Amino acid sequence: MKLCLVITTRGNYAKVKSIIQAAENDPDVELQIIVGGGAILAKYGNIADSLTTMGVNVDRRIHFLVEGETPVTMAKSAGLAVSEFTTAFENLQPDVVMVIADRFECLSIAMTASYMNIPVAHMEGGEVSGSIDESIRHAITKLSHVHFPATREAADRIIRMGEAPETVFPVGATSLDVIAGLDLDNLQPIMEKQVSAGVGARVDLAQPYLTVIQHPVTTEYAENLEHVNQTLNAIHELGMGTIWIWPNMDAGSDGISKGIRIFREKHVDAPMHFFKSLPIEHYAPLLKNAKAIVGNSSSGIREAAFLGTPCVNIGSRQSGRDRSSNIIDVGYDKAEIKAAIQKQLDHGRYEENHMWGDGKAGPKILEILKTFDFTIQKRICY
């Protein structure tokens, strides 16, 4: 079986690492890896070079991002991605293409593979969230031939969308596989990385600190700058050491990046360190030992729950997603954000919640794919 995995963001790698490891040890699987989009650009951390350093073979590197991070460039990037992935799939001739979650380029991948009669396997479908992401996720579900949702609830939604129950396998979130196998108490690598990478003050991780990730919300494009300013000012007034990770490549990213740059120019002595990107091997211990994760990343919903890390979830990006008790939801207001962080600091760690999986999803996915009887022609099941 020729299994094609596509990595376009730092989060994608975390979600396919356990599948890569399982496939590399399986003589019945030929692994194909395509890296593109933000994963090959320096401004987003260039994950491709890190993969090569780790000994992961990259079969294709493709460019499809139109710069600007606006709704127009995102739509054009999605269109260009169709053309580029068509060429890549024609050359590689995969038996199965794995599509992850809900990013705009993932819809391009699923559409391309479907038109080319290549079976599509979809991870993390069936979930509810805000922004355009939910529409994209459900569209990918209807283009996919086998489904690997993270929870039973998500699996039920997929079936209610008319997908055949025998094609739906709630295996859990694959990002938890990597976390489950790491030494989460070792913060020394991220301490050292602050010297060689990123900008800002060096944060002493032996002291209480926050982790912040705030991505743009595409349906609130014009407001992203003001939204991140509220978060920046709330964090600044608390005065805690903070590791801040740069936003993703969605429309509105430039607004958030602009807010961060202006803040840094005005507050050069703020106890914050900013990274473009962090590999999961560094990020997981950082998240595990943070007093709270703040922002709107899905890792505050999923991985933080698995680790018991308090989360302050800001705004609408994760609206409607299944939640553990570790989360406090707030709006885009400095005082509200600051109060919620303080509440989480007073509360401390939560009990670990495994609603998103047990850390063994990757090998399960590979075993199912090896024996699954794919039918390219789909039919709604009601």
Side-chain angles (χ1 to χ4, degrees):
M1 179 182 69
K2 291 187 288 185
L3 174 61
C4 183
L5 304 179
V6 183
I7 299 172
T8 59
T9 68
R10 62 197 179 215
N12 282 170
Y13 171 63
K15 293 177 180 180
V16 298
K17 183 177 180 180
S18 63
I19 300 175
I20 292 173
Q21 291 173 328
E24 287 177 336
N25 295 319
D26 194 322
D28 296 326
V29 179
E30 178 185 332
L31 192 61
Q32 301 173 332
I33 296 180
I34 299 174
V35 183
I40 56 175
L41 297 180
K43 68 185 290 186
Y44 296 110
N46 197 348
I47 305 301
D49 284 352
S50 299
L51 291 175
T52 302
T53 301
M54 290 184 285
V56 176
N57 182 59
V58 175
D59 294 274
R60 292 288 186 280
R61 299 185 184 213
I62 62 174
H63 289 272
F64 59 80
L65 275 184
V66 179
E67 285 210 69
E69 287 79 19
T70 70
V72 170
T73 61
M74 190 165 70
K76 288 188 175 184
S77 295
L80 182 57
V82 171
S83 176
E84 293 300 312
F85 281 114
T86 299
T87 302
F89 293 159
E90 176 66 16
N91 291 336
L92 293 173
Q93 293 291 307
D95 295 313
V96 184
V97 172
M98 179 69 74
V99 179
I100 304 168
D102 55 14
R103 290 200 48 75
F104 70 84
E105 70 273 12
C106 293
L107 179 57
S108 304
I109 297 165
M111 187 177 77
T112 301
S114 295
Y115 273 130
M116 297 177 72
N117 292 326
I118 303 169
V120 176
H122 185 207
M123 292 164 49
E124 297 184 5
E127 297 179 16
V128 177
S129 66
S131 190
I132 190 65
D133 297 352
E134 178 164 341
S135 299
I136 290 174
R137 186 186 305 108
H138 299 331
I140 293 171
T141 289
K142 299 309 298 180
L143 291 167
S144 300
H145 303 89
V146 62
H147 311 274
F148 298 106
T151 67
R152 181 69 255 176
E153 291 79 5
D156 291 342
R157 292 189 194 101
I158 291 171
I159 294 170
R160 292 201 298 273
M161 290 170 66
E163 298 299 294
E166 61 269 22
T167 68
V168 183
F169 302 90
V171 296
T174 51
S175 57
L176 305 183
D177 299 3
V178 183
I179 292 174
L182 293 174
D183 177 3
L184 298 176
D185 294 323
N186 183 14
L187 290 169
Q188 189 58 35
I190 193 67
M191 287 292 293
E192 295 172 357
K193 196 172 184 66
Q194 290 184 71
V195 178
S196 60
V199 295
R202 186 176 182 185
V203 177
D204 183 2
L205 302 182
Q207 301 300 317
Y209 68 90
L210 300 171
T211 297
V212 181
I213 307 175
Q214 187 153 332
H215 296 304
V217 178
T218 56
T219 49
E220 299 166 0
Y221 173 74
E223 292 81 38
N224 281 296
L225 173 58
E226 174 55 28
H227 290 170
V228 78
N229 283 338
Q230 295 293 318
T231 305
L232 284 160
N233 290 326
I235 299 292
H236 181 59
E237 288 185 9
L238 284 167
M240 286 183 65
T242 300
I243 301 293
W244 193 303
I245 301 174
W246 221 252
N248 66 20
M249 58 191 181
D250 288 346
S253 179
D254 272 5
I256 290 183
S257 299
K258 179 180 179 180
I260 292 172
R261 287 193 295 268
I262 292 173
F263 176 86
R264 286 190 56 243
E265 290 172 1
K266 292 181 178 179
H267 305 284
V268 293
D269 296 326
M272 299 184 188
H273 197 89
F274 299 86
F275 286 109
K276 291 181 181 177
S277 176
L278 285 176
I280 185 64
E281 294 82 2
H282 290 166
Y283 176 69
L286 184 74
L287 178 61
K288 169 66 164 58
N289 293 282
K291 292 302 179 183
I293 176 172
V294 181
N296 60 12
S297 169
S298 62
S299 68
I301 308 292
R302 185 179 284 116
E303 287 81 11
F306 184 72
L307 296 172
T309 302
C311 170
V312 175
N313 179 65
I314 302 171
S316 62
R317 190 170 185 266
Q318 304 299 335
S319 177
R321 197 183 287 272
D322 296 335
R323 277 160 165 67
S324 173
S325 60
N326 70 308
I327 297 163
I328 296 177
D329 291 295
V330 296
Y332 303 107
D333 177 77
K334 179 185 72 172
E336 192 178 351
I337 295 167
K338 186 178 175 182
I341 294 172
Q342 189 58 60
K343 187 174 181 179
Q344 292 289 44
L345 294 175
D346 294 339
H347 183 283
R349 300 195 60 76
Y350 288 78
E351 184 176 350
E352 296 177 5
N353 188 307
H354 290 183
M355 65 180 290
W356 295 98
D358 58 5
K360 301 175 183 177
K364 295 176 187 175
I365 289 174
L366 197 65
E367 286 305 310
I368 292 167
L369 288 176
K370 286 167 58 179
T371 59
F372 190 78
D373 184 17
F374 285 99
T375 301
I376 293 295
Q377 179 61 54
K378 292 184 59 176
R379 180 169 292 169
I380 199 164
C381 290
Y382 57 80

